């Protein structure tokens, strides 16, 4: 059934001495090196390549490059598999495997092609309409949608290949290696400017649609090869092929995706990365991105065997494949006659040509052949056939570009239908750079406008389609761009002689003039959007093109509507009764072509994806069985389970150890900032809500830090080391935030303050010993007087421990007698080991962050970021005593705003309950006129307290501070039940502070 | 991605910086006369112009200095930058 096509003689891309084998849907085929998967499939007579997205209609190859909307395939196997590639851009290698996507169970028998028969239930927005009701059926809908609407499949295993990233700087970046881009690079590189030219194809030279075209007496192929040779020899020029520019960011930051080895068999790639992400910063950017061919909209314009004229040209001229024997050509510009000539030369029969233009406007075409069967002012109104196109019927094109039926229908039998709706400059990246694409209501063409500074367009992307003009234009723009970068060049050799291949007069063709019963006239082949969907969207009230796009899905998905967007825009304007220019185009966004996740991830995978911070004591924790938790980038020991212990068992044991004997804890991750200078006290007064300049040397004080909006930002203890030096601690996760915060105020607001700050988090390790025996341990290992009168709570001392100068701060976050021993980090392990050894006689217990949390919650201490969330003021916490009455501080004025001082704010409370409830659970109660319970607060911390032998919780409740003793409930919605709770003071343990101060 | 002229380090990529919003906002002197509105103006309200905008940037992954930049919010063109606490006229 499939007939292999004999290759034509004059072909330049494939190497006929190198036959290769490939597999499509598990069947073996042969091809030549240089083929794309699409050209190879066409050469093997494979017409049916995929099923469409929504209706599962049979589809074939439509284009020849990234504009392809139909032929999506998945290549490779397992970890090497890549979904949703266009067959037109897949370069073949020997042994390549590809499969159709969106087919089930297989391409020829696809169960969901039933969708085509029942397509009336799939109008625009069908997801939103059909699946809304009834709600309980949603899981079934979801299963069906996931099964039927997916395109490719996620690879079964992680990609083993490597991806690289590179930063590049250049003076001039030329994007597009066709005739005009080559010319621009030629003059730019000659001026001495560092020039880069990139093209997404395997070689420079552009698509070369027209093999009769010539420049200076040479074929385009030999001319562009010659220019490439010159560029290659110029050390100032770098060439990147197989490289797509997909994003234009601010200040000429262009991101390129280079396919380094995708065209090589995975086993032969050696050490080559698969792709490279090139981040280019260019002085000037020259876009030579060419033009995109519009399709035509008519009934059943999607049957396999329907192709763009430019694609057919490319298959004939570059791959030596004529994809049909009996051909109908339909178009509205001169390129149809060039194609007709090429088809005739390739041995095809031209059955009919429909030219939408009037005869007198068309016959100026240089390739016009009066022997051809041309039907003027006509365009296809429908095709016939089943799995592929068998015949075409023409209709009449009126001057406004719409097609209506002729009185007498004539069917033209054919196996290939070539379409050309005209060419639009490819302005996607240009628009990303800040330029505009404007629809001209007179000419019905798209033009570039408002070119940003340092961005240029050449060739057909600027609307110049004649080869000679494009080349000369490229030379000139290349010179101008290099001059803007301070280079000069006088390149005289402008082209004189060149074949003339203008597009001729252009007559727009938009679609069917009037339709009944929703014909399948596809505006967007990729998303199965038909003309009537546009009418429907307008009828349902959609006016903005951006809303219309998302509702109908026009222009979405991998192909981004490259061949259909303009037609859709015009049809939308027609239904809205507006001018096209009033509607505008949808915004162009990156990426211009799909980019793999691998390229973005590069080498930043696994342990390299985020730095890991370990304390100096990390390996001791590891050796002693600690289970770690991540706190920011830090690894912190969460608990140290002994044999057979669960987390709860371990935490209970550790809690009792601290409360009854002695615990030891690695608090090294706390942020530590040294603050120096004569104005430090003044500065701290402004930073903290409480007073600091009156703190005596040797003392420590707990401080509360607000943001300017009055909300708690951080807390911690700051100590005075001497007259001008202070030592601040911050919470672990806020250490860099606080440091940057202090720095910002010093640099931007108070530069006259004589204060200098230094982060010393890593320099000092913090070994905390806590519990009633901690004084005994400290007395044993040092020669200082540890009596309460000599070393009271909230003071610090310089202490020599085992001949190492340490700072010991008597601070407590557990509610027990506690010393934070700050040790120069290089000695931390040594000191820790000695403390563990000597501490054995005091029953020393290492404890982790989980135990610390339980202990601090028993004591009613907040954990910033755990209990507070950026909406909590000191008043909400009941910490009014922390607010100094004299002098300003950051956030002070906000505490008197109407919202922060109103009644009904959520305030910090403790809850006693019979079971542990989830953190975040709502507190609910009957209130006001409500008959059922409403949320009046929430739980922020919840633990089982071994000390109280009871669950406890901390939380926030409306006016909670004045409601001690009341009963409320905590809701557990996922279990559909409530738990009774009693409101108590958040300080559950040692409210008088005897243990802490004793 | 912007290319930002740090007065100390020269042109560097935006990814090295963090933005600090509108420049030249000075903290009001807080006394009993300072109304809610004046405080709100300092705390919440920003010009957000379409056009030239003076703003603060922090070279947080570089020299760590704060400085001012004049940037066009439509084209993103940056026409000058100058150190914090100096006049925008003194450095062009
Ligand atoms: Zn800098």
């Amino acid at each position: 059934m499939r007939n292999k096509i004999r290759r034509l003689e004059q072909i330049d891309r494939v190497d006929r001495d190198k036959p290769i084998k490939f597999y499509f849907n598990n069947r073996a085929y042969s091809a030549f090196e240089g083929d794309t998967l699409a050209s190879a499939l066409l050469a093997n007579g494979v017409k049916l390549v995929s099923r469409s997205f929504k209706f599962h209609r049979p589809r074939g190859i439509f284009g020849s490059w990234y504009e392809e909307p139909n032929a999506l395939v998945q290549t490779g196997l397992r970890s090497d598999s890549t979904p949703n590639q266009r067959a037109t851009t897949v370069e073949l290698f020997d042994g390549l495997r590809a499969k159709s996507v969106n087919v089930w169970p297989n391409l020829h028998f696809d169960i969901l092609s039933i969708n085509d028969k029942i397509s009336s239930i799939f109008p625009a927005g069908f997801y939103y309409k059909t699946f809304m009701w009834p709600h309980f059926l949603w899981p079934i809908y979801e299963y069906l949608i996931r099964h039927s609407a997916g395109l490719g499949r996620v690879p079964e295993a992680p990609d083993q290949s490597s991806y690289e990233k590179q930063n590049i700087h250049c003076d001039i970046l030329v994007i597009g290696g066709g005739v005009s881009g080559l010319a621009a690079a030629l003059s730019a590189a000659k001026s001495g400017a560092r020039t880069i030219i990139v093209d997404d194809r395997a070689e420079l030279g552009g698509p070369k649609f027209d093999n009769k075209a010539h420049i200076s007496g040479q074929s385009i192929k030999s001319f562009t090869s010659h220019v490439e040779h010159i560029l290659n020899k110029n050390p100032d020029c770098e060439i990147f092929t197989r490289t797509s520019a997909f994003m234009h960011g601010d200040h000429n930051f262009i991101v390129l995706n280079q396919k380094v080895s995708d065209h090589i068999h995975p086993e032969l790639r050696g050490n080559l990365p698969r792709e490279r992400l090139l981040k280019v910063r260019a002085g000037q950017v020259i876009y030579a991105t060419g033009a995109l061919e519009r399709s035509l909209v008519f009934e059943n314009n999607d049957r396999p065997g329907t192709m763009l004229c430019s694609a057919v040209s490319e298959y004939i001229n570059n791959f030596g494949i004529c994809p049909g024997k009996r051909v109908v050509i339909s178009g509205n510009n001169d390129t149809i006659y060039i194609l007709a000539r090429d088809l005739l030369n390739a041995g095809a029969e031209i059955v009919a040509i429909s030219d939408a233009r009037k005869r007198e406007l068309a016959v100026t075409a240089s390739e016009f052949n009066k022997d051809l069967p041309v039907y003027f002012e006509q365009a296809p109104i429908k095709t016939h056939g089943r799995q592929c196109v068998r015949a075409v019927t023409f209709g009449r094109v009126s001057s406004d570009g719409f097609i209506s039926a002729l009185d007498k229908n004539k069917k033209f039998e054919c196996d290939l239908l070539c379409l050309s709706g005209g060419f639009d400059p490819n302005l996607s990246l240009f628009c990303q750079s800040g330029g505009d694409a404007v629809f001209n209501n007179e000419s019905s063409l798209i033009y570039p406008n408002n070119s940003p500074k340092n961005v240029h367009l050449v060739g057909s992307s600027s609307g110049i389609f004649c080869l000679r003009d494009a080349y000369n234009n490229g030379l000139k723009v290349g010179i101008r761009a290099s001059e803007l970068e301070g280079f000069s060049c006088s390149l005289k050799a402008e082209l004189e002689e060149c074949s003339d291949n203008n597009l001729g007069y252009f007559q727009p063709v938009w679609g069917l003039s009037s339709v009944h019963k929703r014909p399948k006239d596809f505006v967007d082949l990729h998303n199965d959007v038909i003309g009537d969907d546009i009418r429907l969207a307008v009828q349902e009230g959609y006016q903005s093109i951006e809303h219309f796009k998302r509702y109908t899905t026009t222009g979405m998905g991998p192909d981004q509507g490259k061949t259909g967007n303009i037609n859709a825009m015009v049809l939308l304007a027609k239904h809205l009764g507006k001018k096209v220019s009033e509607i505008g185009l949808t915004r162009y966004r990156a990426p211009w072509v799909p980019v793999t996740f691998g390229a973005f991830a590069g080498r930043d995978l696994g342990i390299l994806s985020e730095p890991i911070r370990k304390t100096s004591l990390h390996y001791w924790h590891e050796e002693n069985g600690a289970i770690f938790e991540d706190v920011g980038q830090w690894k912190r020991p969460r608990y140290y389970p002994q044999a057979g212990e669960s987390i709860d068992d371990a935490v209970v044991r550790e809690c009792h150890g601290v409360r009854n004997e002695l615990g030891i804890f690695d608090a090294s991750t706390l942020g530590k900032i040294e603050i120096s200078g004569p104005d430090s006290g003044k500065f701290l007064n402004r930073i903290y809500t409480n007073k600091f300049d009156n703190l005596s040397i040797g003392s420590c004080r707990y401080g509360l830090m607000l943001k300017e909006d009055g909300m708690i930002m951080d807390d911690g203890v700051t100590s005075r080391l001497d007259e001008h030096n202070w030592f601040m601690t911050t919470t672990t996760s806020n250490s860099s935030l606080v440091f940057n915060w202090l720095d910002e105020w010093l640099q931007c607001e108070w530069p006259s303050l004589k204060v200098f700050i230094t982060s010393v988090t890593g320099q000092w390790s913090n070994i905390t010993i806590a519990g009633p025996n901690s004084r005994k341990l400290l007395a044993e290992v040092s020669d200082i007087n540890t009596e309460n009168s000599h070393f009271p709570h909230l003071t610090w001392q310089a202490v020599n421990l085992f001949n190492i100068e340490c700072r010991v701060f008597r601070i407590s976050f557990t509610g027990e007698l506690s010393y934070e021993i700050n040790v120069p980090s290089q000695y931390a392990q040594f000191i820790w080991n000695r403390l563990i050894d000597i501490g054995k006689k005091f029953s020393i217990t290492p404890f982790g962050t989980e135990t610390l949390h339980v202990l601090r919650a028993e004591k009613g201490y907040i954990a910033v970021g755990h209990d507070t969330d950026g909406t909590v003021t000191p008043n909400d916490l009941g910490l009014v005593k922390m607010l100094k009455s004299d002098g300003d501080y950051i956030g002070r004025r906000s505490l008197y705003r109407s919202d922060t001082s109103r009644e009904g704010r959520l305030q910090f409370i403790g809850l006693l309950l019979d079971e542990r409830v989830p953190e975040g659970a709502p507190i609910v109660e009957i209130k006001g006129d409500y008959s059922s319970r409403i949320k009046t607060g929430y739980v922020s911390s919840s633990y089982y307290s071994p000390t109280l032998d009871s669950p406890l919780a901390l939380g926030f409740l409306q006016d909670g501070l004045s409601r001690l003793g009341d009963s409320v409930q905590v809701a557990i919605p996922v279990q559909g039940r409530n738990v009774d709770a009693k409101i108590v003071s958040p300080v559950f343990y040692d409210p008088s502070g005897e243990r802490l101060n004793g | 991605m912007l290319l930002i002229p740090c007065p100390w380090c020269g042109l560097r990529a935006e990814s090295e910086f963090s933005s600090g919003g509108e420049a030249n906002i000075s903290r009001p002197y807080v006394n009993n006369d300072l109304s809610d509105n004046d405080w709100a103006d300092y705390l919440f309200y920003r010009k957000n112009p379409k056009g030239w905008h003076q703003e603060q940037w922090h070279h947080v992954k570089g020299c760590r200095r704060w400085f001012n930049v004049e940037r066009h919010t439509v084209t993103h063109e940056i026409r000058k930058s100058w150190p914090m606490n100096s006049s925008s006229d003194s450095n062009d």
Side-chain angles (χ1 to χ4, degrees), chain A residues 254-269:
Chain A
I254 321 296
V255 190
L256 316 174
N257 182 212
Q258 184 185 19
K259 306 265 186 196
V260 183
S261 62
D262 250 0
H263 61 291
I264 303 171
H265 191 287
E267 283 163 19
L268 303 175
R269 282 175 197 163

Side-chain angles (χ1 to χ4, degrees), chain A residues 703-780:
Chain A
L704 212 50
M705 218 179 264
L706 308 185
K707 292 215 161 188
E708 196 70 297
D709 60 6
M711 305 303 162
I712 308 262
M713 171 183 164
D714 202 54
D715 65 354
V717 171
T718 291
S719 311
R720 193 162 192 172
L721 300 178
D722 58 39
E723 183 62 27
H724 289 164
N725 286 292
W726 306 64
F727 184 75
M728 174 187 275
T729 59
T730 74
T731 60
T732 296
S733 39
N734 281 344
S735 60
S736 60
L737 180 84
V738 170
F739 185 83
N740 286 341
W741 176 250
L742 303 182
D743 203 10
E744 182 177 351
W745 285 100
L746 285 171
Q747 284 191 41
C748 302
E749 197 65 34
W750 303 317
S752 60
L753 286 186
K754 291 195 174 72
V755 178
F756 191 83
I757 58 171
T758 315
S759 167
V760 292
T761 301
Q763 278 70 13
W764 293 97
S765 291
N766 180 328
I767 301 171
T768 297
I769 52 172
N773 290 343
S774 57
R775 178 177 286 130
K776 292 179 204 156
L777 177 61
L778 186 61
E780 176 114 5

Side-chain angles (χ1 to χ4, degrees), chain A residues 192-205:
Chain A
R194 289 172 304 160
T195 304
I196 290 175
I197 180 166
V198 303
D199 196 279
D200 47 11
R201 292 171 187 264
E203 54 185 34
L204 297 180

Side-chain angles (χ1 to χ4, degrees), chain A residues 169 247 249-253 279 281 453 708-709 736 739-740 743-751 888-894 896-898, chain B residues 1-4 13-14 20 25-28 30-32 34-36 39 42-44 56 58 60 64-67 75-78 84-85:
Chain A
H169 296 260
M247 175 192 142
D250 300 321
H251 295 184
N252 279 352
F253 178 71
K279 298 185 268 188
R281 187 72 76 165
K453 227 177 179 176
E708 196 70 297
D709 60 6
S736 60
F739 185 83
N740 286 341
D743 203 10
E744 182 177 351
W745 285 100
L746 285 171
Q747 284 191 41
C748 302
E749 197 65 34
W750 303 317
D888 195 16
Y889 51 85
I890 293 167
R892 177 176 178 271
R893 179 62 184 78
S894 290
Y896 305 97
R897 287 176 57 235
S898 54
Chain B
M1 184 163 63
L2 303 175
L3 208 50
I4 298 173
E14 185 183 342
I25 292 170
S26 47
R27 192 168 190 271
V30 180
N31 60 19
N32 292 338
L34 187 72
S35 68
D36 272 7
W39 183 249
Y42 156 71
L43 192 55
F44 299 122
Q56 303 188 123
H58 185 203
V60 63
R64 295 196 60 88
R65 301 308 295 170
W66 280 89
F67 59 95
T75 64
H76 297 300
E77 185 182 341
I78 292 175
M84 201 51 69
N85 308 303

Side-chain angles (χ1 to χ4, degrees), chain A residues 348-453:
Chain A
E349 175 196 348
I350 306 290
V351 178
I353 295 175
S354 75
D355 187 333
R357 304 172 292 185
K358 289 185 194 309
R359 171 184 285 269
E360 60 271 26
L361 294 169
V363 293
T364 57
S366 58
E367 299 289 343
F368 180 73
N369 180 341
K370 61 179 166 40
D371 296 332
L372 289 169
V374 183
Y375 298 82
F376 292 100
E377 295 177 65
Q378 292 193 19
I381 195 161
K382 65 163 79 166
T383 67
H384 311 267
R386 273 176 54 83
Q387 297 265 8
C388 54
V389 65
R390 298 253 177 265
V392 184
T393 308
F394 289 160
R396 177 157 308 283
V397 178
S398 57
S399 60
D400 65 358
F402 287 92
I403 313 163
S404 47
L406 293 162
D407 299 336
K408 267 194 288 179
N409 273 342
K410 193 175 172 211
K411 268 193 191 176
F412 298 98
E413 292 198 357
C414 64
D415 59 0
L416 176 66
L417 169 60
C418 308
L419 306 177
S420 180
F423 291 83
D424 293 303
N426 175 3
L427 297 174
S428 176
L429 289 157
F430 173 78
C431 290
Q432 283 183 34
S433 78
D436 292 329
V438 179
F439 184 87
N440 183 311
N441 292 321
E442 306 303 316
S443 67
S444 296
L445 291 166
I446 297 283
Y447 292 101
N449 199 14
N450 291 330
S451 192
K453 227 177 179 176

Side-chain angles (χ1 to χ4, degrees), chain B residues 6-10 17 59 62-65 67:
Chain B
C6 171
W8 285 272
C9 309
F17 298 83
H59 198 181
C63 66
R64 295 196 60 88
R65 301 308 295 170
F67 59 95

